[in-house]
Amino acid sequence: KAGVTQTPRYLIKTRGQQVTLSCSPISGHRSVSWYQQTPGQGLQFLFEYFSETQRNKGNFPGRFSGRQFSNSRSEMNVSTLELGDSALYLCASSPQGAPAEAFFGQGTRLTVV
Amino acid sequence: AQKITQTQPGMFVQEKEAVTLDCTYDTSDQSYGLFWYKQPSSGEMIFLIYQGSYDEQNATEGRYSLNFQKARKSANLVISASQLGDSAMYFCAMRERRGGAGSYQLTFGKGTKLSVIP
């Protein structure tokens, strides 16, 4: 059974640009959550999607957005990039009705210059 | 106030010895879950062990066990027979219901960096 796949693994972008990150959950998992990890703030929840609907959103500005497709794959988008957006972005997938499971991908390391 | 507190920024342990990583949590929910993850330098968060708030037995997964003391709100991770490959960051996380129906959110501690010495 394949794990959670995040692409790309590494990205370098310039301030002001936008970026899209992708996450393919474990087959059969319909919940996808996104987290941002920085040395200063640690791991912070961005948002959670289930059946193409955003069910929960963390305390991030509107520049951070996401969506989920019918095959449960999810994308997150960050517009007007700032230096402070440099971080490791992690995606987690969970099956419905089994919140004892939350498996993460390898993450996308975004560097904004 | 921090919801998950890991008081040990760094720990050293001799190979083959056991080590305990501390985690305390704060919640007013009756139903919640506690996770431990390992994060090597590659960045991937590797699931280690889970404990539900209603589970009466302490969770165990191979060399990992979770010492769950509900009244004290602590969920310490015990790694037995440490190996060099155990050197990594370890995060404690709490799952709580938040947002829309059926939605859960993980809140993480700051982590503990474990170094295993040969």
Side-chain angles (χ1 to χ4, degrees), chain B residues 13-16 84 87 115-118:
Chain B
V13 64
Q14 205 76 36
E15 196 178 3
K16 299 192 178 83
L84 295 178
S87 294
S115 299
V116 180
I117 306 163

Side-chain angles (χ1 to χ4, degrees), chain B residues 81-102:
Chain B
S82 297
Q83 302 171 355
L84 295 178
D86 294 335
S87 294
M89 283 292 291
Y90 288 81
F91 291 93
C92 178
M94 179 169 61
R95 180 214 77 216
E96 300 173 286
R97 279 192 183 274
R98 290 292 183 269

Side-chain angles (χ1 to χ4, degrees), chain A:
Chain A
K1 198 174 186 181
V4 180
T5 303
Q6 290 189 246
T7 57
R9 291 290 312 280
Y10 302 93
L11 265 178
I12 301 176
K13 290 286 188 179
T14 306
R15 270 182 301 175
Q17 286 187 313
Q18 75 164 16
V19 67
T20 299
L21 313 181
S22 178
C23 172
S24 292
I26 291 170
S27 177
H29 286 195
R30 293 167 63 189
S31 169
V32 174
S33 300
W34 289 88
Y35 293 81
Q36 181 197 64
Q37 186 178 22
T38 59
Q41 299 297 317
L43 282 143
Q44 294 184 284
F45 171 76
L46 280 156
F47 27 65
E48 187 242 354
Y49 286 88
F50 180 83
S51 291
E52 303 178 66
T53 301
Q54 186 182 90
R55 293 199 296 194
N56 192 7
K57 189 176 191 308
N59 189 24
F60 278 82
R63 299 186 298 106
F64 291 82
S65 62
R67 60 177 174 168
Q68 186 180 35
F69 302 95
S70 58
N71 62 358
S72 295
R73 189 177 72 85
S74 176
E75 288 181 347
M76 70 163 277
N77 184 277
V78 188
S79 62
T80 320
L81 283 166
E82 301 176 359
L83 295 178
D85 297 332
S86 294
L88 179 66
Y89 290 89
L90 290 158
C91 158
S93 85
S94 300
Q96 179 186 10
E101 298 181 1
F103 297 99
F104 284 81
Q106 289 184 299
T108 294
R109 195 169 292 277
L110 171 66
T111 303
V112 182
V113 297

